[in-house]
């Protein structure tokens, strides 16, 4: 009751900016709930989402498509495990076919594996 009207309005404005930030974070980065409950776990998850959002914003800046940010994030999420040149794909999303990676089977030398089968 001792605060002035301008102080209360600035506090509300800062609180509203925090609400908008978390709304954007939840919608864009699909952070629906937090995995951990400790302060450190929350900080790690928020920082990870912020770094991902920064990378997505940078790719959106480099992209020459007319798409919205959320559509670009969705397309990147869908094509996350495709082998493509990222910059070519960003400039023309549907023209670049995915590459088929060369299959290389690596040998896994396991000592004493034959003894375990007996």
């Amino acid at each position: 009751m001792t605060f002035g009207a301008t102080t209360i309005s600035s506090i509300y404005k800062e609180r509203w900016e925090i609400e908008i930030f978390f709304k954007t974070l939840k919608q864009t980065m699909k952070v629906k709930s937090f995995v951990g409950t400790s302060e450190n776990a929350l900080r790690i998850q928020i920082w990870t989402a912020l770094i991902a959002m920064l990378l997505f914003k940078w790719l959106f800046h480099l992209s020459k498509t007319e798409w919205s940010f959320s559509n670009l994030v969705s397309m990147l999420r869908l094509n996350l495990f495709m082998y493509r040149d990222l910059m070519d794909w960003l400039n023309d999303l549907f023209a670049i076919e995915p590459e088929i990676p060369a299959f290389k089977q690596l040998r896994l030398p396991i000592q004493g594996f034959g003894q375990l089968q007996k």
Side-chain angles (χ1 to χ4, degrees):
M1 296 305 231
T2 59
F3 293 124
T6 56
T7 306
I8 292 173
S9 67
S10 66
I11 290 172
Y12 184 76
K13 182 180 176 187
E14 289 176 13
R15 182 182 178 277
W16 187 248
E17 287 179 7
I18 292 170
E19 291 289 331
I20 290 172
F21 165 73
F22 277 104
K23 179 183 174 189
T24 305
L25 191 68
K26 285 181 177 182
Q27 285 179 345
T28 309
M29 295 294 117
K30 303 290 185 192
V31 180
K32 298 291 182 200
S33 63
F34 292 107
V35 178
T37 57
S38 70
E39 180 182 348
N40 192 40
L42 294 176
R43 286 179 185 265
I44 289 171
Q45 291 175 63
I46 290 171
W47 276 108
T48 304
L50 285 173
I51 291 169
M53 187 180 287
L54 180 66
L55 290 171
F56 283 137
K57 287 281 189 180
W58 178 248
L59 290 174
F60 181 71
H61 172 73
L62 295 177
S63 173
K64 294 181 179 155
T65 59
E66 300 280 326
W67 290 20
S68 67
F69 177 71
S70 60
N71 285 344
L72 184 67
V73 170
S74 296
M75 289 301 291
L76 282 167
R77 193 175 285 136
L78 289 173
N79 291 287
L80 189 61
F81 294 106
M82 297 288 178
Y83 290 93
R84 295 183 177 159
D85 183 64
L86 183 61
M87 295 312 299
D88 290 340
W89 182 77
L90 280 174
N91 292 330
D92 195 1
L93 295 176
F94 296 111
I96 307 299
E97 292 291 323
E99 298 174 13
I100 307 297
F103 181 72
K104 295 180 183 177
Q105 178 68 43
L106 300 176
R107 296 201 66 224
L108 183 63
I110 299 177
Q111 299 288 331
F113 181 69
Q115 297 170 355
L116 294 175
Q117 290 180 340
K118 293 180 183 178

